[in-house]
Amino acid sequence: MNIRPDQETFVFSADSLKIDDAAETERIVAGLRAQLRGMRKRGLVLGLSGGIDSSVSVALAVRAVGAKNVFCLFMPENDSDPESLRLGRLVAETFGVEAVVEDIGPTLAAMGCYARRDAFIRELVPDYGPGWASKIVIANALEGEGYNISSLVVQDPEGKRTKLRMPPSVYLGIVAATNMKQRTRKQLEYYHADRLNFAVLGTPNRLEYDQGFFVKNGDGAADVKPIAHLYKSQVYALAAYLGVPEEIRRRPPTTDTYSLEQTQEEFYFSLPYDRMDLCLYGLNSGLTAEAVGRAANLSAAQVERVWADIAAKRKATRYLHLGPQLVQPVAEIGE
């Protein structure tokens, strides 16, 4: 996949990302089984959000270990879209897995997640409180170079929206409080994994894994990540092959993290996943910006801006992929 094609004869398009769905499914299933044997675990636990990645992961887990050895969690909180829970239950029913609801809202409230977040927002919007809603959005990667600037969008009780630039302290404070959500969910996944002697399955796709779209020790924590090598469009192809309900395959990817509805592209990626796939694949495969632009309906200059954004995100989030750093290796355990 990462070998540069002969650019004299190779015509790059969305078809270049197509995979053999049956063969890829068998490869992932075999890999999961081998990994579980190595860990001496008998099943898999995962959070089921009703999104495409967790839905495909459930289907693959069932093929690998059987439905009775897959345990799913629905973990809504105060800002969650109720539609996510409904779709998550649809997936659980489709693949016949056991699933339970763990409402993390009270836990987050007790830890001060919402109060801490709102206090940082009030540094910019003093009236922010009950009846208000908010989200963070990022600038369009096509319009700038390198790092993108995030903005805060707030909506008052009458429905009026305002977009504001955030100083770093406010941005970091809001993100730090919000990250409690992913870390609390992961704590519950590992509780159930420990009691069942199962492994925790993480659900990032290649776009998310490559560019650090996850919370360290939150949704970035897992024992296995079976779709981290797959581009998002390939995940959608597997979803159709594996029988993920069409309603979920039609749903636009969302973060389901902030109180205002938010797509992944406005929060992090800046482009729809299919065009991001083409840009990332082209970069990884050594294609020209012109070839990628023709496939993604972008100019070569725009592709170069997206590539600069990818490079910036890789650099900024590299630490997320690192384990604890030791002053000196411990040779006896291979570190």
Side-chain angles (χ1 to χ4, degrees):
M1 185 176 290
N2 293 319
I3 298 175
R4 178 173 175 162
D6 179 356
Q7 296 193 50
E8 294 297 320
T9 59
F10 179 73
V11 178
F12 182 53
S13 70
D15 288 343
S16 304
L17 278 72
K18 286 186 176 179
I19 55 176
D20 183 329
D21 299 325
E24 185 60 32
T25 294
E26 290 307 311
R27 185 162 76 99
I28 294 172
V29 165
L32 280 173
R33 289 170 178 165
Q35 290 164 345
L36 289 175
R37 285 195 298 270
M39 289 183 285
R40 303 182 69 180
K41 300 295 183 182
R42 64 188 185 89
L44 293 160
V45 168
L46 70 155
L48 185 50
S49 67
I52 195 72
D53 297 317
S54 63
S55 299
V56 166
S57 296
V58 169
L60 291 167
V62 168
R63 292 213 176 195
V65 297
K68 64 183 177 59
N69 290 317
V70 177
F71 186 83
C72 294
L73 297 170
F74 309 123
M75 293 174 282
E77 45 90 15
N78 296 4
D79 295 326
S80 295
D81 182 352
E83 190 73 351
S84 296
L85 179 57
R86 183 186 71 80
L87 292 173
R89 284 178 164 145
L90 174 61
V91 174
E93 294 168 2
T94 297
F95 295 105
V97 298
E98 183 180 1
V100 299
V101 175
E102 293 270 16
D103 184 354
I104 65 171
T107 299
L108 292 172
M111 291 193 298
C113 168
Y114 306 113
R116 295 172 198 265
R117 176 201 62 196
D118 292 356
F120 281 105
I121 294 175
R122 278 194 291 273
E123 291 187 24
L124 299 181
V125 187
D127 291 335
Y128 191 88
W132 288 68
S134 62
K135 64 180 175 180
I136 289 176
V137 298
I138 198 166
N140 192 317
L142 302 181
E143 298 173 356
E145 302 285 348
Y147 291 100
N148 285 319
I149 303 299
S150 294
S151 299
L152 174 69
V153 176
V154 297
Q155 179 175 289
D156 68 20
E158 284 70 47
K160 178 184 176 183
R161 292 194 179 190
T162 306
K163 185 176 180 180
L164 306 103
R165 289 284 293 273
M166 291 179 288
S169 60
V170 170
Y171 169 78
L172 291 173
I174 293 171
V175 170
T178 303
N179 285 351
M180 290 183 181
K181 299 179 181 185
Q182 287 83 359
R183 293 189 174 117
T184 300
R185 289 186 175 110
K186 195 58 60 172
Q187 182 179 15
L188 286 167
E189 289 175 34
Y190 270 100
Y191 161 73
H192 287 286
D194 289 347
R195 74 175 181 83
L196 294 167
N197 194 32
F198 284 8
V200 170
L201 187 153
T203 65
N205 59 65
R206 189 168 189 146
L207 287 180
E208 296 168 348
Y209 190 73
D210 180 290
Q211 295 176 67
F213 185 42
F214 55 85
V215 175
K216 191 162 191 173
N217 297 324
D219 52 341
D223 300 310
V224 294
K225 296 181 179 181
I227 63 171
H229 63 292
L230 295 176
Y231 292 89
K232 187 85 170 185
S233 52
Q234 295 170 338
V235 175
Y236 273 95
L238 277 191
Y241 172 77
L242 293 166
V244 171
E246 184 179 358
E247 186 176 6
I248 291 164
R249 290 187 274 125
R250 291 198 312 264
R251 188 190 192 197
T254 67
T255 63
D256 200 17
T257 298
Y258 290 86
S259 49
L260 282 177
E261 184 177 344
Q262 178 190 60
T263 65
Q264 287 186 352
E265 63 195 75
E266 69 177 341
F267 177 67
Y268 200 78
F269 292 116
S270 298
L271 285 174
Y273 75 85
D274 51 348
R275 298 167 89 189
M276 280 301 305
D277 274 355
L278 291 167
C279 290
L280 182 59
Y281 181 97
L283 178 62
N284 291 343
S285 302
L287 301 179
T288 66
E290 289 77 12
V292 174
R294 286 192 294 271
N297 194 28
L298 299 170
S299 70
Q302 288 175 320
V303 172
E304 294 284 359
R305 291 190 188 103
V306 174
W307 284 352
D309 187 56
I310 291 171
K313 285 188 170 76
R314 284 174 171 173
K315 182 178 180 180
T317 63
R318 182 177 180 275
Y319 83 98
L320 296 176
H321 293 277
L322 299 176
Q325 302 297 286
L326 306 181
V327 172
Q328 180 175 325
V330 180
E332 291 79 7
I333 60 170
E335 294 186 0

